[in-house]
Short mmCIF file of all heavy atoms in Angstrom, two decimals:
data_model
loop_
_atom_site.label_atom_id
_atom_site.label_comp_id
_atom_site.label_asym_id
_atom_site.label_seq_id
_atom_site.Cartn_x
_atom_site.Cartn_y
_atom_site.Cartn_z
N GLN A 370 25.43 -24.87 55.09
CA GLN A 370 24.34 -24.58 56.03
C GLN A 370 24.06 -23.09 56.17
O GLN A 370 23.11 -22.70 56.83
CB GLN A 370 24.70 -25.09 57.43
CG GLN A 370 24.84 -26.59 57.53
CD GLN A 370 25.13 -27.03 58.95
OE1 GLN A 370 25.64 -26.25 59.76
NE2 GLN A 370 24.80 -28.25 59.27
N HIS A 371 24.96 -22.25 55.63
CA HIS A 371 24.88 -20.79 55.79
C HIS A 371 24.81 -20.43 57.27
O HIS A 371 24.08 -19.53 57.68
CB HIS A 371 23.66 -20.21 55.06
CG HIS A 371 23.56 -20.68 53.65
ND1 HIS A 371 24.33 -20.16 52.64
CD2 HIS A 371 22.81 -21.66 53.07
CE1 HIS A 371 24.04 -20.79 51.50
NE2 HIS A 371 23.14 -21.71 51.75
N LEU A 372 25.57 -21.15 58.07
CA LEU A 372 25.55 -20.94 59.53
C LEU A 372 26.99 -21.08 60.01
O LEU A 372 27.60 -22.14 59.77
CB LEU A 372 24.65 -22.00 60.17
CG LEU A 372 24.51 -21.92 61.68
CD1 LEU A 372 23.74 -20.66 62.07
CD2 LEU A 372 23.75 -23.16 62.21
N PHE A 373 27.51 -20.04 60.64
CA PHE A 373 28.95 -20.04 60.94
C PHE A 373 29.23 -20.23 62.42
O PHE A 373 28.47 -19.78 63.27
CB PHE A 373 29.58 -18.76 60.35
CG PHE A 373 29.62 -18.86 58.85
CD1 PHE A 373 28.53 -18.49 58.07
CD2 PHE A 373 30.72 -19.40 58.22
CE1 PHE A 373 28.54 -18.65 56.69
CE2 PHE A 373 30.75 -19.56 56.84
CZ PHE A 373 29.66 -19.18 56.08
N TRP A 374 30.33 -20.94 62.70
CA TRP A 374 30.66 -21.33 64.07
C TRP A 374 31.70 -20.40 64.66
O TRP A 374 32.45 -19.73 63.94
CB TRP A 374 31.22 -22.76 64.10
CG TRP A 374 30.44 -23.78 63.36
CD1 TRP A 374 29.14 -23.68 62.93
CD2 TRP A 374 30.90 -25.07 62.94
NE1 TRP A 374 28.76 -24.84 62.28
CE2 TRP A 374 29.83 -25.71 62.28
CE3 TRP A 374 32.10 -25.77 63.07
CZ2 TRP A 374 29.92 -26.99 61.74
CZ3 TRP A 374 32.20 -27.05 62.54
CH2 TRP A 374 31.12 -27.64 61.88
N GLU A 375 31.79 -20.43 65.97
CA GLU A 375 32.80 -19.62 66.66
C GLU A 375 34.16 -20.34 66.63
O GLU A 375 34.22 -21.56 66.58
CB GLU A 375 32.38 -19.39 68.11
CG GLU A 375 31.21 -18.43 68.21
CD GLU A 375 30.67 -18.32 69.61
OE1 GLU A 375 31.34 -18.78 70.55
OE2 GLU A 375 29.56 -17.77 69.74
N ALA A 376 35.24 -19.53 66.76
CA ALA A 376 36.59 -20.09 66.69
C ALA A 376 36.80 -21.17 67.76
O ALA A 376 37.36 -22.24 67.47
CB ALA A 376 37.62 -18.98 66.84
N ALA A 377 36.32 -20.89 68.98
CA ALA A 377 36.55 -21.85 70.07
C ALA A 377 35.92 -23.20 69.75
O ALA A 377 36.47 -24.26 70.05
CB ALA A 377 36.00 -21.29 71.37
N ASP A 378 34.75 -23.14 69.10
CA ASP A 378 34.05 -24.36 68.72
C ASP A 378 34.86 -25.14 67.69
O ASP A 378 35.00 -26.37 67.74
CB ASP A 378 32.68 -23.93 68.15
CG ASP A 378 31.70 -25.08 68.09
OD1 ASP A 378 31.98 -26.12 68.72
OD2 ASP A 378 30.67 -24.93 67.41
N ILE A 379 35.42 -24.40 66.74
CA ILE A 379 36.21 -25.03 65.67
C ILE A 379 37.46 -25.69 66.26
O ILE A 379 37.80 -26.83 65.93
CB ILE A 379 36.55 -23.99 64.59
CG1 ILE A 379 35.27 -23.71 63.79
CG2 ILE A 379 37.67 -24.46 63.68
CD1 ILE A 379 35.26 -22.46 63.00
N TYR A 380 38.16 -24.99 67.15
CA TYR A 380 39.38 -25.56 67.75
C TYR A 380 39.05 -26.83 68.54
O TYR A 380 39.79 -27.81 68.50
CB TYR A 380 40.06 -24.55 68.68
CG TYR A 380 40.56 -23.30 67.99
CD1 TYR A 380 40.70 -22.10 68.68
CD2 TYR A 380 40.90 -23.31 66.63
CE1 TYR A 380 41.15 -20.95 68.05
CE2 TYR A 380 41.34 -22.17 65.99
CZ TYR A 380 41.46 -20.99 66.70
OH TYR A 380 41.91 -19.86 66.08
N LYS A 381 37.93 -26.76 69.28
CA LYS A 381 37.55 -27.91 70.10
C LYS A 381 37.25 -29.13 69.21
O LYS A 381 37.72 -30.23 69.46
CB LYS A 381 36.30 -27.54 70.93
CG LYS A 381 36.15 -28.37 72.20
CD LYS A 381 35.18 -27.75 73.17
CE LYS A 381 33.78 -27.82 72.57
NZ LYS A 381 32.84 -26.85 73.07
N ARG A 382 36.49 -28.88 68.14
CA ARG A 382 36.16 -29.99 67.21
C ARG A 382 37.42 -30.51 66.53
O ARG A 382 37.59 -31.72 66.35
CB ARG A 382 35.19 -29.50 66.13
CG ARG A 382 33.77 -29.30 66.60
CD ARG A 382 32.98 -28.63 65.46
NE ARG A 382 31.68 -28.18 65.89
CZ ARG A 382 30.54 -28.85 65.66
NH1 ARG A 382 30.56 -29.99 65.03
NH2 ARG A 382 29.39 -28.36 66.06
N LEU A 383 38.32 -29.59 66.15
CA LEU A 383 39.55 -30.01 65.46
C LEU A 383 40.40 -30.87 66.39
O LEU A 383 40.91 -31.92 66.00
CB LEU A 383 40.35 -28.78 65.00
CG LEU A 383 41.73 -29.08 64.41
CD1 LEU A 383 41.63 -29.92 63.14
CD2 LEU A 383 42.50 -27.79 64.09
N GLU A 384 40.54 -30.41 67.63
CA GLU A 384 41.35 -31.18 68.59
C GLU A 384 40.78 -32.59 68.76
O GLU A 384 41.52 -33.57 68.78
CB GLU A 384 41.39 -30.44 69.94
CG GLU A 384 42.23 -31.18 70.96
CD GLU A 384 42.52 -30.35 72.21
OE1 GLU A 384 41.93 -29.26 72.38
OE2 GLU A 384 43.34 -30.81 73.03
N ARG A 385 39.44 -32.66 68.84
CA ARG A 385 38.81 -33.98 69.03
C ARG A 385 39.09 -34.88 67.82
O ARG A 385 39.48 -36.03 67.98
CB ARG A 385 37.31 -33.79 69.25
CG ARG A 385 36.64 -35.03 69.84
CD ARG A 385 35.28 -34.72 70.40
NE ARG A 385 34.38 -34.18 69.38
CZ ARG A 385 33.57 -33.15 69.55
NH1 ARG A 385 33.54 -32.52 70.71
NH2 ARG A 385 32.79 -32.73 68.59
N VAL A 386 38.93 -34.33 66.62
CA VAL A 386 39.15 -35.13 65.41
C VAL A 386 40.61 -35.60 65.35
O VAL A 386 40.89 -36.78 65.09
CB VAL A 386 38.80 -34.31 64.15
CG1 VAL A 386 39.29 -35.01 62.89
CG2 VAL A 386 37.30 -34.05 64.06
#
Side-chain angles (χ1 to χ4, degrees):
Q370 295 183 337
H371 311 282
L372 181 67
F373 289 86
W374 311 344
E375 289 173 13
D378 196 14
I379 286 161
Y380 297 154
K381 204 164 68 204
R382 285 172 191 260
L383 174 63
E384 181 169 9
R385 196 164 59 224
V386 168

